[in-house]
Structures are given as C-alpha cells and as structure tokens.
Amino acid sequence: MSFTRDARIVSRELSRHYGESVRGRDAVIRQRPIEDLVEGLELRRLASGGGLQGRKLRRFVRRYLDSATRLHHPAYLAHQVAVPHPSGSLASMIDGFTNNAMAIYEMGPAAAAIEFFVVNWMLEKIGWPPSPSPRHHQVSAAYGGGVLTHGGSLANLTALLAARGRAAPRAWSDGAPADLALLAAAESHYSIARAAGIMGMGRAARYDLPVDAKGRIVPDSLPGVFRRVQEDGRRPLALVANACSTAVGTYDPLEEIGHACRERGIWLHVDGAHGASALVSPALRRLAAGIELADSVVWDAHKLMRTPTLCAAVLVRDARTLDSAFEQEASYLFHDKDQPGFDFIHRTVECTKAALGLRFFAVLASLGEAGLASYVERQFALAQEAYRFISGQPGFECAVEPEANILCFRVEGPDQLQLAIRSRLISRGSHYLSTAEFNGRRFLRITFMNPLTSMKDVALLVENVRELAAAP
Ligand SMILES: Cc1ncc(COP(=O)(O)O)c(C=O)c1O
C-alpha cells in the first residue's frame, strides 16, 4: 500500500516545516496572491491528471507548506487558534483515515465513547455532575450533559436553541415566539448576534448589557435591564456572559450574574469558548468562579487547549435541556434500536460529524491535566509580563490589564497608524498579530497561543512597532 510510503513523505515534510517554524527564522506569514498559489500549486494539472503520490506528493506538500501560515513560529501572536500539539495532529490523521462520522453510535463507537468521556471531563471541571452511562439515562435525574460541535459559533447557536427549548417549548411546531429577548454585552462574540438572527430574533430583540471600563458586565445594572425587557412586553430567552471576551480577554463576574439570573429564572449562557480553559488550572479557575451557576457553557478545545481545529463543546447543567433542544425525525437514522451506545445526533445541528473528541483527548492524554494546566498558566502569565513591559514603554498604551492570554496595546497616533503597523509587520513576515476595537479605539492585539513565544519575542515586536510608528 502506497499509504505507508506517502505517510512517511508527509511526516518528513511536516517535521521539516515544524523545525523551521520553531526556530523562527522564516517568515511567520507569507501571503502570495491567490492566483499565483492556484498556479504554483499546479492545482489544475493535478486535478485533471491525478497521481498525487510519491515525488509528486512531496513537491505538492512542500509548496503547500511554503505558503502555510506558521502557527508553530514563536512570532505567531494573532488569533485564538490553537498551536496544535503533535498528538492532536496525529489524532486528526487517525480521524481522517478512519472517517467514523459518528452521527449515530454504530458509525463510530470509539469516537462516541471518547466524546462521552470528554464531555463528562468538562462537566466535572465546571462543577456539574457528569452523565451516568447515557444508555441508562433516567430523564428525571438532574445531571449535566453535552455534545461536541464543529466550532464555537455552532456551539453558541446550539446552547441558545436549548434555552429556547425551555422558554418556548413549542417553537419547533408553532415557530419562534415574537416576544423573546436576548440579553448580552456588545463585547460578546458576533456569533451570539448571528445565532439570535438565525433563530428569528431581530436587532430589536437584543438588549445590550452595560459594561465597565474593562468591558465586563456590570451586575448592578441587571435589575434595570430586566425591568426594561418586561416593560417592553418581552421575555428573556437568555443572558449571555463572557468567560472571557474576545477582544481583550476579560471575564464577566459570573457569580453575581449567576445569582441575578437564578433569582429571576433567566437562562444564563456562558460563552467560555476561549477562556473556560482556565478551569483546568487550580490557580486560574477563580477567573471563572460562578460558572457552575450557568445553564449552558460553550468551551472550545481548539482555542486554549492545543487541539487542532475543531473541537467545541456545548455543556448544559441539566442534560434534559439539550435533549429537548431539537425534535426532527429522520427515519433512516432515528429509530428504536437495541444498541450498546448512545446517539449524539439528537443534540446537534450537524448530522455527519468528525471524531472531534479524539483530537482533544489525544492532547489531554499526552500532556496530562497538569501539563495542560501549566501551558494555560504560562500563557496567562506571559500576557501579564508583556503588559508590564509594554505599559512601561514611552508612547505605548495597553487597553486593559490582561486577565487571560490576550493583550491589546497601541502606540500614540490614530487608528489608521495601528492598522498600518500591523500591515507592515505582516508584509515583513516578522510578526503576525491581529487588531481589535475596544472602547471605540483600534488596538494591536496579541493572543499568546504559542508555548514557545517568550519575552524576547515581545521585546523584538515592540522594537519593530516603535520603528514602524516613526516611519510607517
Ligand atoms: C468568545 C468566543 N465565542 C465564540 C467564538 C467562535 O468560535 P469558533 O471560531 O470556533 O466558531 C470565538 C472565536 O474567537 C470567541 O472568541
């Protein structure tokens, strides 16, 4: 079988790419025009002629990697995408090879068992009772539940559908009621507003929650917002809190928000896509204190847990709420059967699904819980150290003191200057960072994802930014 030979070719090329990346000598990002790439990768010729094996495969992979953005490069500081642990990458390969699509148990029993285990592991980190064996499900018992989805955006939609199941149990038959309201801060990830729109809730149904100078929801403002919603003749579908926010990485005060929601019977959804990973660290879990008061939590392993794209989790305090989020029938898949497992399909938008849990599990089993915790702690501490360093530089300013691994800063000058600096850094290929707006101003944004990034890289970045600010 040519697979063994070709797998060796691919792994050799990946190892070379990895070695070059971690040494940090090559450009972290190189964006050639798309037409040149279509041409240079010989896509048309390969598509018509076939034969992507052996030497052809080696050439193709080399060229592909040459134009890939290097996440393993220590100057990769841009987005909340995991720098994958090699064990997770190998798990992606196993999944790609076996392709156990796991819509239903029989399509991927091992993948389903791992998903069940991973969901329970996350539930326990939140502080919720895990599911007993799902086959012996007692619907009256209150225990947590969950499902893995292809990304945090889909996970947020799924959690809000579970909330709708409680607020409007007849929505699938009668349509979504017009009086539902969604309470969220403008700092929430855009996928929240998008999910609301998909669920038929327009802008008028969304209530922006007041925030403090760090972009965190102000709990004292909540009674006023609840009153306004009621006066407008609406019912809250859910209140969405962040753990942590996308732009600057701050955590909402979940304890106080949780109690306010409990008193009113309002569904609390915590978007922990990025920051729920603080729960793995005994030292950092205080950041998300009160998360157990939520009704639903979204937690992405493909952000802060070194897991290759994608592996997001929707977790609910009461498994029954997720079980009743969907009610469609599909006779070719859903029918009474005596099976030794459990179908996750009833809990998701997706039908065909990758073995998402395998990717994360391989990382967890490789690093161990302690290893994962020390990675998260290191990245959060690095953001703090970088904050102290950058704040002390003349002409530099940070948006807020970081709580997670996200740090926003800017140099003296207009928003356009920040964007121009980022553009120049990217075209040089020396540093890859992102930008974000916060409190009406544009900041350069670092997300410390790479376990090899150090203060040396931060110092070099500052030097580059200073030089570009003087002569953009
Ligand atoms: C807080 C938060 N929620 C949700 C998402 C969306 O996750 P995904 O990109 O996996 O769809 C993001 C992405 O950055 C995020 O930061």
Side-chain angles (χ1 to χ4, degrees):
M1 188 183 179
S2 65
F3 172 74
T4 311
R5 182 200 58 193
D6 287 346
R8 208 172 290 133
I9 289 174
V10 171
S11 88
R12 213 173 281 142
E13 292 305 315
L14 286 173
S15 299
R16 193 176 54 82
H17 173 80
Y18 175 78
E20 286 168 4
S21 299
V22 296
R23 280 194 294 279
R25 290 205 201 105
D26 215 336
V28 55
I29 178 168
R30 188 183 290 134
Q31 298 180 79
R32 297 195 175 95
I34 191 164
E35 301 79 9
D36 294 0
L37 288 175
V38 171
E39 189 70 26
L41 289 165
E42 301 182 293
L43 303 186
R44 191 171 294 281
R45 198 172 63 81
L46 285 167
S48 62
L52 187 66
Q53 281 108 26
R55 290 213 323 262
K56 257 192 197 176
L57 175 66
R58 177 179 297 118
R59 193 169 62 205
F60 174 77
V61 174
R62 270 194 192 161
R63 288 179 181 179
Y64 179 90
L65 294 175
D66 201 38
S67 290
T69 299
R70 293 177 181 269
L71 272 65
H72 299 93
H73 193 299
Y76 167 68
L77 305 165
H79 298 286
Q80 299 153 268
V81 178
V83 176
H85 187 279
S87 297
S89 305
L90 288 173
S92 291
M93 191 184 83
I94 295 170
D95 182 30
F97 199 95
T98 51
N99 208 24
N100 273 208
M102 62 163 302
I104 52 178
Y105 186 71
E106 67 197 34
M107 295 169 76
I114 292 178
E115 175 153 343
F116 175 63
F117 177 86
V118 164
V119 162
N120 271 350
W121 181 86
M122 288 176 156
L123 290 171
E124 288 188 279
K125 289 284 168 242
I126 290 174
W128 290 337
S131 286
S133 168
R135 274 208 299 152
H136 308 114
H137 217 82
Q138 292 162 14
V139 280
S140 60
Y143 47 80
V147 70
L148 301 179
T149 69
H150 290 87
S153 303
L154 200 49
N156 275 330
L157 172 63
T158 309
L160 293 178
L161 283 169
R164 192 183 69 174
R166 191 166 82 182
R170 295 184 53 81
W172 287 110
S173 55
D174 300 353
D179 65 345
L180 295 178
L182 184 70
L183 284 53
E187 276 64 18
S188 294
H189 188 259
Y190 76 88
S191 59
I192 295 291
R194 192 173 273 187
I198 291 169
M199 290 164 61
M201 299 171 75
R203 184 70 196 85
R206 298 209 316 267
Y207 289 72
D208 284 348
L209 298 174
V211 293
D212 65 13
K214 292 183 95 179
R216 299 171 302 194
I217 294 170
V218 179
D220 286 351
S221 71
L222 295 180
V225 178
F226 296 157
R227 213 173 309 120
R228 197 151 52 83
V229 171
Q230 197 176 17
E231 285 163 7
D232 290 349
R234 291 185 182 274
R235 295 181 291 140
L237 165 82
L239 185 153
V240 179
N242 291 314
C244 54
S245 66
T246 305
V248 295
T250 48
Y251 287 77
D252 285 329
L254 301 180
E255 194 114 48
E256 290 160 274
I257 297 170
H259 287 303
C261 288
R262 284 277 177 98
E263 269 167 32
R264 301 278 182 137
I266 294 171
W267 182 288
L268 172 60
H269 172 59
V270 174
D271 183 352
H274 186 81
S277 296
L279 294 172
V280 302
S281 154
L284 295 174
R285 57 174 298 125
R286 62 179 165 76
L287 289 165
I291 196 166
E292 70 285 354
L293 298 171
D295 293 280
S296 55
V297 170
V298 159
W299 181 356
D300 288 0
H302 61 278
K303 291 190 167 58
L304 256 172
M305 293 204 290
R306 310 273 331 258
T307 301
T309 304
L310 298 158
C311 175
V314 185
L315 304 155
V316 290
R317 180 157 44 91
D318 179 344
R320 292 167 297 179
T321 58
L322 193 53
D323 282 336
S324 51
F326 300 97
E327 43 173 65
Q328 289 68 34
E329 291 299 327
S331 63
Y332 77 110
L333 293 172
F334 306 175
H335 49 81
D336 283 339
K337 55 194 157 189
D338 183 19
Q339 62 175 358
F342 169 76
D343 300 339
F344 279 99
I345 196 169
H346 303 285
R347 295 181 169 180
T348 64
V349 175
E350 300 109 308
C351 177
T352 300
K353 204 171 90 166
L356 305 171
L358 176 62
R359 299 167 195 187
F360 168 61
F361 181 77
V363 177
L364 177 63
S366 188
L367 288 175
E369 286 197 23
L372 201 52
S374 61
Y375 159 74
V376 177
E377 286 160 10
R378 179 196 182 275
Q379 304 311 103
F380 281 36
L382 182 59
Q384 278 285 332
E385 202 180 341
Y387 164 74
R388 286 192 293 274
F389 176 74
I390 294 178
S391 309
Q393 302 294 316
F396 283 65
E397 173 198 351
C398 292
V400 298
E401 180 176 349
E403 294 180 359
N405 63 331
I406 299 173
L407 174 62
C408 286
F409 71 98
R410 54 184 276 136
V411 283
E412 231 163 43
D415 285 0
Q416 275 313 318
L417 178 64
Q418 323 303 322
L419 290 171
I421 290 172
R422 171 179 129 90
S423 240
R424 292 292 309 278
L425 289 168
I426 287 180
S427 55
R428 278 179 180 180
S430 64
H431 294 87
Y432 179 26
L433 66 174
S434 55
T435 74
E437 266 190 20
F438 183 68
N439 286 342
R441 292 190 306 158
R442 175 77 49 186
F443 285 82
L444 293 163
R445 177 172 174 270
I446 301 175
T447 312
F448 289 105
M449 304 301 285
N450 193 315
L452 295 177
T453 300
S454 69
M455 281 306 293
K456 224 172 78 194
D457 301 294
V458 175
L460 195 60
L461 168 68
V462 165
E463 217 176 273
N464 274 261
V465 170
R466 188 179 290 116
E467 178 206 322
L468 290 171

